[in-house]
Amino acid sequence: FEMRADRLALEPLLADAPITSWQLNYDEQTVTNHHGEVIFSVPAEINERVLGATAPPVQTSRFALLSSAYAAEGLSHFIRRFNYVNNVVGSVTLTNAAVNSGVKGIVFTSSIAVYGSRPSLPLTESATPQPEDPYGIAKFAVEQDLRAGREMFGLDYMVFRPHNVYGPRQNVADPYRNVICIFMNQILHGRPMTVFGDGRQTRAFTCVDDVAPLMAAAIEVEAAWNQTFNIGSDQPYSLN
């Protein structure tokens, strides 16, 4: 059972959250408040060695934040088994551990990919998910599993569906994820930016500093539990 704290996802959680004093422990993958209470336990990578194994307890956390996945959406067609093991099996392993450890709820970072490539705009949470690739299918499967866990075990959940998130410490070298990082890598190496079609397509890009604090603050809002939220910028930009 391997875990790695995701600094990109975690550090902004400390900035504007309603609890005044936070401590981030990268070795134990936890965030504690000023009372020393573990607020978040953050397993970011759970590899396939968990198959057939019992997940360890999620310490004594009030909440578990499941924020990381292998988010190569287009590549997921060609790495189907890796995609489902990493994104589905890893997630439900955390859910099992949360149920067995008495965790109050799971905050799950899903993806706008659950809606497919041609959703009607403006896109609202009432839109019917129609994922078109294994990555979106995996994210939606975990959402459904969390709903089933709520019905069976009373485990609360909160689902956020962000889109095109960028920010410090992203992997600029990854050629399959995040168009901003792909463009940065190409510019740094003096290569032309890859633009498909005529470049007039638009995208809204979201800074991690704008979404992570909202996710952190939401855990203190009782009405937000067992709900799903689209989260991110609504300002479109042409790739040209």
Side-chain angles (χ1 to χ4, degrees):
F1 187 86
E2 293 184 351
M3 299 187 294
R4 186 192 68 210
D6 187 340
R7 298 179 183 224
L8 175 64
L10 282 178
E11 287 184 353
L13 293 175
L14 311 182
D16 300 313
I19 298 176
T20 56
S21 178
W22 295 73
Q23 179 177 351
L24 177 60
N25 186 322
Y26 287 117
D27 293 327
E28 297 181 4
Q29 298 89 37
T30 60
V31 179
T32 56
N33 66 10
H34 60 290
H35 298 301
E37 179 184 20
V38 178
I39 302 300
F40 285 121
S41 239
V42 190
E45 286 188 353
I46 306 173
N47 70 19
E48 62 184 292
R49 282 189 288 173
V50 304
L51 288 172
T54 300
V58 189
Q59 301 187 40
T60 56
S61 313
R62 285 170 54 197
F63 309 104
L65 171 65
L66 183 55
S67 62
S68 289
Y70 192 74
E73 185 175 350
L75 185 63
S76 67
H77 290 284
F78 308 98
I79 54 170
R80 306 178 85 89
R81 182 178 183 278
F82 177 84
N83 169 75
Y84 291 124
V85 168
N86 190 75
N87 296 341
V88 178
V89 175
S91 299
V92 299
T93 300
L94 173 65
T95 302
N96 285 344
V99 170
N100 292 332
S101 304
V103 169
K104 172 179 169 53
I106 290 179
V107 179
F108 177 55
T109 306
S110 183
S111 169
I112 212 76
V114 302
Y115 293 113
S117 62
R118 297 183 182 275
S120 299
L121 298 177
L123 183 59
T124 67
E125 292 84 354
S126 62
T128 301
Q130 293 181 314
E132 297 178 358
D133 54 66
Y135 176 71
I137 292 169
K139 285 293 192 179
F140 190 52
V142 176
E143 291 187 18
Q144 296 294 88
D145 184 73
L146 289 172
R147 294 185 182 98
R150 164 68 178 167
E151 293 297 320
M152 178 64 69
F153 302 109
L155 177 67
D156 289 333
Y157 67 87
M158 196 180 303
V159 173
F160 289 95
R161 294 170 175 166
H163 59 272
N164 292 324
V165 179
Y166 68 91
R169 291 173 296 281
Q170 276 192 314
N171 183 4
V172 180
D174 193 324
Y176 301 109
R177 294 186 285 181
N178 194 299
V179 66
I180 289 181
C181 285
I182 291 173
F183 284 168
M184 289 175 62
N185 183 280
Q186 291 172 332
I187 292 170
L188 289 171
H189 288 86
R191 297 195 299 265
M193 293 185 294
T194 302
V195 176
F196 297 98
D198 58 14
R200 288 186 294 180
Q201 63 268 41
T202 59
R203 297 289 185 274
F205 299 99
T206 306
C207 180
V208 67
D209 291 335
D210 293 330
V211 295
L214 295 178
M215 294 169 62
I219 68 170
E220 304 293 346
V221 181
E222 194 65 30
W225 284 104
N226 307 307
Q227 302 294 326
T228 298
F229 304 97
N230 296 342
I231 186 170
S233 172
D234 57 4
Q235 175 62 51
Y237 293 92
S238 167
L239 294 183
N240 283 337

